[in-house]
Amino acid sequence: MNLIPIIYDVLAVIIVLNCISKGAKNGFAKTAIQTVGYICSIIAALVISRICAALVYTMAIQPAVIESMEASLMNAADTESVINGLTEAVESLPAISFLLFDFSGVAENLIESVGFDYSAIAEAVEKNVIRPMAEPILETFIFAVSLIILAFAVSIIAKGSKFVNDVPIIGKANSFFGGVFGIANGAAELAVAAFILDFVIKAGIFPEYFSEEIISGTYLFRFIYFALCGENALV
């Protein structure tokens, strides 16, 4: 029995229950502002990460990757030397050297189609092997940083709404409606988890723990994930 999908669901329930508890404690106004603010922050962080990741990769990482590979492949005379050259080129780039790439099958297929044209090999490997893994990781990093900054701004704004808790009439229902909005707040936090997981899955990192197949085996989290990141995603 695969316990990983169950762990996903357990964590999802814990997140929602924690948000309900915090919502009841913080009250309606603060929780409502946080929820709306977090949703707007998620959308803004998604837009920022997608635009900035593509720009940063294209302008800074891509030229360095291709240049490094071309230099390493210049004297390649056989398949083994091509693979060694590609590996050496990636290891010399601090931005992506922590990633592991399997060049063996790619190099063999490329040599069959383009020969030992090192420029063509470098461009093809960058486009089909390195970019599909490196760009989602870059996108994840920018998304996380952007979201942290925006969420911090939202929390400061939400703190200014605490005075509502002192109004007697509102105060009676404050905890109840705060808890109700806490559910939406929990859904927003699960949405953040879904987007980050989607970035990780696209990059192919630890597929034994992070994959659409595993998420499909969950009972609860799959509804959030596939609604936001599936083939017919809402965003």
Side-chain angles (χ1 to χ4, degrees):
M1 180 180 180
N2 192 351
L3 294 177
I4 297 177
I6 297 176
I7 293 173
Y8 275 81
D9 280 337
V10 169
L11 291 176
V13 171
I14 291 173
I15 288 172
V16 173
L17 291 177
N18 181 57
C19 287
I20 293 173
S21 175
K22 288 194 299 183
K25 180 180 178 180
N26 292 332
F28 166 73
K30 182 177 179 180
T31 307
I33 292 173
Q34 282 182 332
T35 301
V36 174
Y38 287 158
I39 292 172
C40 293
S41 297
I42 292 170
I43 295 172
L46 279 172
V47 173
I48 291 170
S49 64
R50 288 173 181 174
I51 294 174
C52 290
L55 285 174
V56 171
Y57 183 88
T58 301
M59 296 178 66
I61 299 177
Q62 184 184 49
V65 169
I66 293 177
E67 182 181 351
S68 180
M69 285 194 292
E70 287 180 346
S72 297
L73 295 173
M74 193 171 294
N75 298 318
D78 52 38
T79 304
E80 184 178 354
S81 60
V82 168
I83 296 172
N84 292 336
L86 292 172
T87 303
E88 180 184 338
V90 172
E91 289 177 349
S92 68
L93 297 166
I96 59 173
S97 59
F98 65 94
L99 298 173
L100 298 176
F101 300 97
D102 182 9
F103 296 116
S104 55
V106 177
E108 291 173 2
N109 293 333
L110 282 172
I111 291 172
E112 289 178 3
S113 58
V114 301
F116 289 97
D117 183 343
Y118 59 84
S119 295
I121 292 175
E123 291 176 3
V125 169
E126 181 279 324
K127 178 181 178 181
N128 298 301
V129 180
I130 295 178
R131 183 166 193 152
M133 181 177 283
E135 191 170 351
I137 293 175
L138 182 61
E139 193 172 336
T140 304
F141 175 76
I142 297 174
F143 174 78
V145 172
S146 302
L147 187 61
I148 289 171
I149 295 172
L150 293 169
F152 178 72
V154 168
S155 66
I156 292 176
I157 296 172
K159 283 182 180 178
S161 65
K162 275 193 171 182
F163 71 91
V164 178
N165 295 350
D166 299 326
V167 180
I169 298 177
I170 296 177
K172 293 179 180 179
N174 216 15
S175 293
F176 174 76
F177 287 108
V180 171
F181 263 90
I183 298 174
N185 215 351
E189 291 192 8
L190 290 179
V192 173
F195 287 125
I196 292 177
L197 273 174
D198 188 49
F199 295 143
V200 173
I201 289 170
K202 287 178 180 176
I205 300 173
F206 299 118
E208 64 272 25
Y209 302 112
F210 309 113
S211 70
E212 291 192 352
E213 182 179 355
I214 290 174
I215 294 174
S216 296
T218 64
Y219 294 98
L220 301 174
F221 185 69
R222 61 181 177 181
F223 295 107
I224 292 283
Y225 178 82
F226 288 110
L228 298 174
C229 308
E231 187 176 345
N232 299 313
L234 299 175
V235 293

